[in-house]
Structures are given as structure tokens and as C-alpha cells.
Amino acid sequence: MTITIKTTEEQARMRISGRLTADVLDMIGEHVRPGITSAELDQICHDYIVDVQQAIPAPLNYRGFPKSICTSINHVVCHGIPGDRSLRHGDIVNIDVTVIKDGFHGDSSRMFIAGKPTVSGERIARVAYEAMWKGIEKVKPGNFLGDIGHCIQTFAESRKCSIVREYCGHGIGRVFHEDPQVLHYGRPGTGIELREGMTFTIEPMVNIGKRHVRLLPDGWTVITKDRSLSAQWEHTILVTSTGHEVLTLGAEDRAVRKQP
Ligand code: MF3
Ligand code: CO
Ligand code: CO
């Protein structure tokens, strides 16, 4: 296990990659409407990253992934491949964007709802959002990875939802997925201790039904076994001397959130 500690210069470059990632998600929001296909959302993001940001969409050709973003709709847990399915009223969709700029990665995802939300769609998206923030709040030097996972799991289960175990957050930097693994469940005080200069993602996948998942034959798409709705949010986080900095905050959150 080799966890990279980012220097001040590397942190500055991570900040830029994180900002670009957030900008893509800020940009795509208004396009998520009934009738648009996930392939169209992919094309819009791809062109923005390549032409406007002059950056690289990390998923494209990553271990054979065929598109530039992941789009995970309704009971799709993660790694959905953009395609010809049009969004319908009430669909919930996770859009996961990873941008490489100047050699460093930013990775973030959000839930969007097409048209009029359903009660259960809105609920699972909100529980996953709050679960992610419960984890982020634990990030500071001297705390442990297990503290993050424990808080996320406890919160989601208190809302009668379940946490997917097969996929986790990850260290990030020059490498898309590096050490450590950031589990979204666990026990306080376990795992590695957090240190200033670490960068990793927190990206809980929360199901409204049971936690079990199945991989589709395309080798990428992960769905809930019971076909229940699943939601996920993701931020890239830097551990600072006093707490943390969320590197992928969108414009609205940057205006209101104080970073500890
Ligand atoms: N962005 C995803 C993550 O949060 C990984 C997607 S890998 C891909 O780690 F190949 F599916 F793009
Ligand atoms: Co990630
Ligand atoms: Co991601």
C-alpha cells in the first residue's frame, strides 16, 4: 500500500482539476431533461472537457470503458455506459465526471432528476447526499478511514437504506484509482490514519432496498439485485492541517460553504 502525500504544488494542481470537474457537472445540469439520451449527455460533456477545458475525460478507454462519463439511471448503481435510452419523467441519474488536467485527476458525481421527481427518487438521492457529507465531515488529520465509513453506514441504515460494499472511494492524484481504498462502511478507529496532503474520494452508493449488486454482461454496468433504486454522490477531498478541503465543490456550494 503506497499512499501518496501531495506537495503544495501538487495540491494546487489537484485544485484546478477538481474545479474543472465541478464545472462540467454545473454545465450539464440544465441538459438533464426528459427526452435526452445518456449518449447525448456524454457527447456534451466530452466536447466541453476536450474543447473548452482542453482537458482529458479520464473514463474514455480506461480499462476499455467506451465513453467519457458514467451515467447510472434508477436501479443502476454505478459505471452505467451512456447509450440510446432517453430519460423519462422522474428518472434519477447519476452523472460521474473525471477530468485530467496537467497530469492530475478530479473525480465527482451528482444525482439529477429528469422532469417531475418521484417521492422515492427524491428520497434516495437525498439520503445518499447526506451520507456523503456525514463522511466528509470526519476528514481531518488524526481521524481514521473507519470513522468515515462508520458515519456513512450508520446514517444510511438509520434511514432504512443500505450501503453497497463491492465498490468504494479511492486515493486520487496522478493516478485515477490509487491507495487507499475508502470504504463506505466500517468501525470507528480502524484503517489508516488521515494525514495532511492525502487526496481521496468519498462516493457512497446507497440503495433503497437491499445492498446486493449484480454486474451486467457488458462488464461495466452494476445494478441492484432487487432492482431497487440506487443513488450516489462523489467528491474529491484534500486533507488539510485543520480538516479538509472539498476540491470538487460546484459554484453554488462554493458560495455558501466554509471549508474547515
Ligand atoms: N468515476 C468512477 C469513480 O468514481 C470510475 C469510473 S471508471 C470507468 O471511481 F471506467 F467506468 F469510467
Ligand atoms: Co471515484
Ligand atoms: Co467518479
Side-chain angles (χ1 to χ4, degrees):
M1 172 124 121
T2 29
I3 297 173
T4 59
I5 297 295
K6 277 74 181 178
T7 63
T8 308
E9 294 76 46
E10 291 169 332
Q11 292 174 20
R13 286 154 79 169
M14 288 292 291
R15 208 167 274 122
I16 290 167
S17 306
R19 172 68 66 94
L20 294 176
T21 302
D23 288 347
V24 177
L25 289 164
D26 284 349
M27 177 279 299
I28 202 64
E30 65 174 293
H31 295 279
V32 183
R33 289 186 248 101
I36 196 163
T37 68
S38 50
E40 289 170 328
L41 294 171
D42 174 74
Q43 190 68 53
I44 296 166
C45 290
H46 176 94
D47 291 348
Y48 188 80
I49 294 166
V50 172
D51 299 335
V52 178
Q53 299 185 328
Q54 299 186 312
I56 299 166
L60 187 60
N61 302 318
Y62 176 79
R63 300 187 183 181
F65 191 79
K67 295 287 185 178
S68 296
I69 60 171
C70 297
T71 51
S72 301
I73 303 170
N74 294 339
H75 65 287
V76 178
V77 172
C78 63
H79 304 164
I81 303 171
D84 291 335
R85 182 194 182 293
S86 316
L87 295 180
R88 298 187 272 265
H89 266 284
D91 280 343
I92 61 170
V93 55
N94 173 277
I95 298 184
D96 194 336
V97 172
T98 312
V99 166
I100 311 171
K101 183 74 172 183
D102 200 12
F104 284 82
H105 292 72
D107 189 8
S108 182
S109 79
R110 299 181 198 164
M111 296 303 296
F112 299 89
I113 305 185
K116 187 174 147 49
T118 63
V119 170
S120 56
E122 199 154 62
R123 175 161 175 273
I124 192 64
R126 195 188 63 239
V127 172
Y129 179 80
E130 291 177 3
M132 173 190 69
W133 279 107
K134 295 281 179 204
I136 292 173
E137 284 164 12
K138 290 286 149 193
V139 179
K140 65 170 184 190
N143 274 1
F144 294 83
L145 278 181
D147 300 332
I148 298 172
H150 178 74
C151 280
I152 291 171
Q153 178 181 17
T154 305
F155 175 78
E157 292 177 355
S158 78
R159 296 297 185 270
K160 299 281 174 257
C161 296
S162 64
I163 293 287
V164 171
R165 307 254 177 137
E166 288 82 355
Y167 301 87
C168 57
H170 48 92
I172 184 168
R174 288 185 185 277
V175 175
F176 192 166
H177 296 107
E178 59 183 39
D179 287 334
Q181 293 197 44
V182 181
L183 303 183
H184 304 116
Y185 60 93
R187 283 179 296 117
T190 62
I192 62 131
E193 188 175 336
L194 305 182
R195 272 184 56 195
E196 182 180 355
M198 288 180 181
T199 49
F200 53 81
T201 71
I202 297 179
E203 48 179 302
M205 285 138 275
V206 184
N207 300 347
I208 211 162
K210 295 207 186 338
R211 68 174 178 83
H212 304 95
V213 300
R214 184 160 93 79
L215 180 65
L216 292 188
D218 64 21
W220 284 104
T221 310
V222 179
I223 64 168
T224 54
K225 245 186 194 154
D226 61 10
R227 303 291 203 277
S228 65
L229 290 178
S230 187
Q232 177 179 32
W233 294 75
E234 173 177 28
H235 272 310
T236 298
I237 319 288
L238 165 69
V239 184
T240 63
S241 60
T242 53
H244 58 262
E245 184 179 335
V246 182
L247 301 178
T248 44
L249 284 181
E252 285 176 25
D253 281 347
R254 290 198 300 271
V256 297
R257 278 200 183 264
K258 277 220 200 64
Q259 307 251 15

